[in-house]
Amino acid sequence: MRAVAVLVLLTLSVATPATAGELAGVTMPDQIQVDSRTLVLNGMGLREATFLKVDVYVAGLYLETKSSDPGAIIHSDQAKRLVMKFVRAVGRKDLVKAWDESFKESAGASLPALTDRIATLDSYMSDVPKDALMSFTYLPGSGVTVEVQGVTKGVIAGTDFSRALFGIWLGSRPPNPGLKDGLLGGH
């Protein structure tokens, strides 16, 4: 009888898939490895645009330690990654416009010091097809690595840039409230 119970437990543990986050048909792993660090999925949110609430992308926020405190996440000097999976195609022009508007909202008075680095980010943008991935990975002492469709475009230095970038989604004026709530682990 004991052997049967052990066999059942082993079968269940092998048959159970690794847990992952899922939102709007997009699945993201519960943890990832970044520069020999394990980051855990803090939450996922859906970016909706215009008054019609058109789905644009699903974002997943990975942190070294889960948190529901947006200020602590923005100002933390721990590794973090935001992954965006586009659920519709978006043109370069629209991406650049969105970045520029979002940084104005997020950076406030520090915007002039970030202008050249925002221009660098803008230069990394291209048309993104449906199902494309874009990610932003902050590593202390290195800056933010920008990847578009699996290609590393470059690293943008500065904790001020990282704070303004992550503040786009986690600050007081996110693109839409549901996106921020999701990234913070809400539903």
Side-chain angles (χ1 to χ4, degrees), residues 47 50 90-105 118 121-123 125-126 168:
R47 170 64 170 114
T50 76
V90 179
R92 180 189 185 282
K93 181 179 171 184
D94 290 332
L95 287 170
V96 168
K97 179 181 176 191
W99 288 128
D100 293 348
E101 290 172 357
S102 296
F103 272 104
K104 283 179 191 169
E105 295 287 339
I118 295 168
L121 175 64
D122 289 346
S123 75
M125 296 298 111
S126 59
I168 289 171

Side-chain angles (χ1 to χ4, degrees), residues 99 103 106 121 136 144 160-169:
W99 288 128
F103 272 104
S106 177
L121 175 64
F136 305 93
V144 175
D160 58 342
F161 181 83
S162 171
R163 289 176 179 160
L165 177 69
F166 284 91
I168 289 171
W169 299 282

Side-chain angles (χ1 to χ4, degrees), residues 13-147:
S13 67
V14 171
T16 305
T19 57
E22 191 276 329
L23 178 65
V26 174
T27 303
M28 294 189 182
D30 272 348
Q31 62 183 25
I32 57 173
Q33 291 296 125
V34 174
D35 192 44
S36 74
R37 303 169 198 230
T38 299
L39 304 185
V40 294
L41 182 62
N42 196 69
M44 295 172 68
L46 178 64
R47 170 64 170 114
E48 298 170 315
T50 76
F51 70 95
L52 297 174
K53 297 188 176 183
V54 175
D55 294 351
V56 180
Y57 60 81
V58 172
L61 177 63
Y62 290 88
L63 304 172
E64 289 185 65
T65 305
K66 284 191 172 199
S67 175
S68 60
D69 182 341
I73 296 168
I74 291 168
H75 293 94
S76 165
D77 201 35
Q78 66 175 304
K80 52 192 152 227
R81 175 180 284 173
L82 188 117
V83 177
M84 300 162 56
K85 173 133 184 189
F86 287 82
V87 295
R88 69 179 317 101
V90 179
R92 180 189 185 282
K93 181 179 171 184
D94 290 332
L95 287 170
V96 168
K97 179 181 176 191
W99 288 128
D100 293 348
E101 290 172 357
S102 296
F103 272 104
K104 283 179 191 169
E105 295 287 339
S106 177
S110 63
L111 183 66
L114 300 172
T115 303
D116 290 344
R117 289 174 281 170
I118 295 168
T120 298
L121 175 64
D122 289 346
S123 75
Y124 295 161
M125 296 298 111
S126 59
D127 293 342
V128 292
K130 182 179 187 266
D131 295 325
L133 289 173
M134 187 179 298
S135 68
F136 305 93
T137 305
Y138 172 74
L139 290 174
S142 296
V144 175
T145 300
V146 180
E147 292 181 38

